[in-house]
Amino acid sequence: MSAIDHYINDLIARGAAEAREEGSAATEAHHLLLAIATVEGTAAHRVLTAAGLGRQAIRDALDREFEHSLSATGVSLASHDLPKPFRDPRDHPGLGATARLALERGFAAAKGKKDLRPAHLLRGVLSTGVGTVPRALALAGVDRAGLIDRVEETLTRESW
């Protein structure tokens, strides 16, 4: 297997672990974003950390997005005691629609598999215009378009 194959397998496994930790039945794009933020030594990781988006900052932004989404329906986390998510260590969350779409977009951003790098996958996760990831980044004050531009610049300068 090539380095990118190992990276993709690791990314999906880490994303599934994030989903399981959250009690989610599926691995979604935001789980992949958390996973990308944990794999050091890649241009994708460097772009995220340069923007102040380490794993914890992303987790905090996702938590704010969850709270904000609940409040839009009239539910306040402060006034409700939500149960902790059930985490069965035997669960293996499959890829959800947003994760599949993010991966497809990342693959499409590369000229071919030999050109595919972690930054392409980050590009795929960031490129969706609607959903949890763009809402969380907006609530965190992140310029998503600017972040995508930095990913694009990185793809022209760095090999991995």
Side-chain angles (χ1 to χ4, degrees), residues 2 5 13 21 44 48 56 78 89 95 98 121 129 131-134 137:
S2 68
D5 289 325
E21 178 69 22
L48 288 174
Q56 190 57 54
L95 284 179
T98 62
L121 300 176
T132 302
V133 171
L137 294 176

Side-chain angles (χ1 to χ4, degrees), residues 101-102 105-106 121-130 133-134 144 148:
L101 186 57
R105 286 181 173 144
L121 300 176
L122 176 58
R123 172 80 169 82
V125 170
L126 295 174
S127 66
T128 185
V130 296
V133 171
R144 190 174 56 86
I148 291 170

Side-chain angles (χ1 to χ4, degrees), residues 55-67:
R55 188 209 173 273
Q56 190 57 54
I58 294 169
R59 179 76 264 161
D60 292 345
L62 291 167
D63 290 346
R64 279 192 303 278
E65 187 279 332
F66 179 68
E67 187 170 354

Side-chain angles (χ1 to χ4, degrees), residues 63-79:
D63 290 346
R64 279 192 303 278
E65 187 279 332
F66 179 68
E67 187 170 354
H68 181 74
S69 293
L70 284 178
S71 70
T73 64
V75 177
S76 167
L77 281 179
S79 58

Side-chain angles (χ1 to χ4, degrees), residues 35-160:
I36 291 169
T38 66
V39 182
E40 295 180 6
T42 67
H45 181 265
R46 288 188 290 279
V47 167
L48 288 174
T49 56
L53 293 170
R55 188 209 173 273
Q56 190 57 54
I58 294 169
R59 179 76 264 161
D60 292 345
L62 291 167
D63 290 346
R64 279 192 303 278
E65 187 279 332
F66 179 68
E67 187 170 354
H68 181 74
S69 293
L70 284 178
S71 70
T73 64
V75 177
S76 167
L77 281 179
S79 58
H80 290 83
D81 222 4
L82 294 178
K84 296 279 185 209
F86 174 72
R87 298 177 186 110
D88 187 339
R90 296 169 298 178
D91 282 348
H92 298 288
L95 284 179
T98 62
R100 280 193 305 274
L101 186 57
L103 291 172
E104 288 171 10
R105 286 181 173 144
F107 296 158
K111 293 178 181 134
K113 186 174 177 193
K114 289 186 180 201
D115 181 53
L116 186 62
R117 298 188 305 276
H120 288 107
L121 300 176
L122 176 58
R123 172 80 169 82
V125 170
L126 295 174
S127 66
T128 185
V130 296
T132 302
V133 171
R135 285 192 309 266
L137 294 176
L139 286 169
V142 174
D143 172 13
R144 190 174 56 86
L147 191 57
I148 291 170
D149 288 345
R150 285 192 291 278
V151 171
E152 292 293 334
E153 291 169 19
T154 298
L155 283 166
T156 63
R157 291 189 329 261
E158 296 188 42
S159 63
W160 186 253

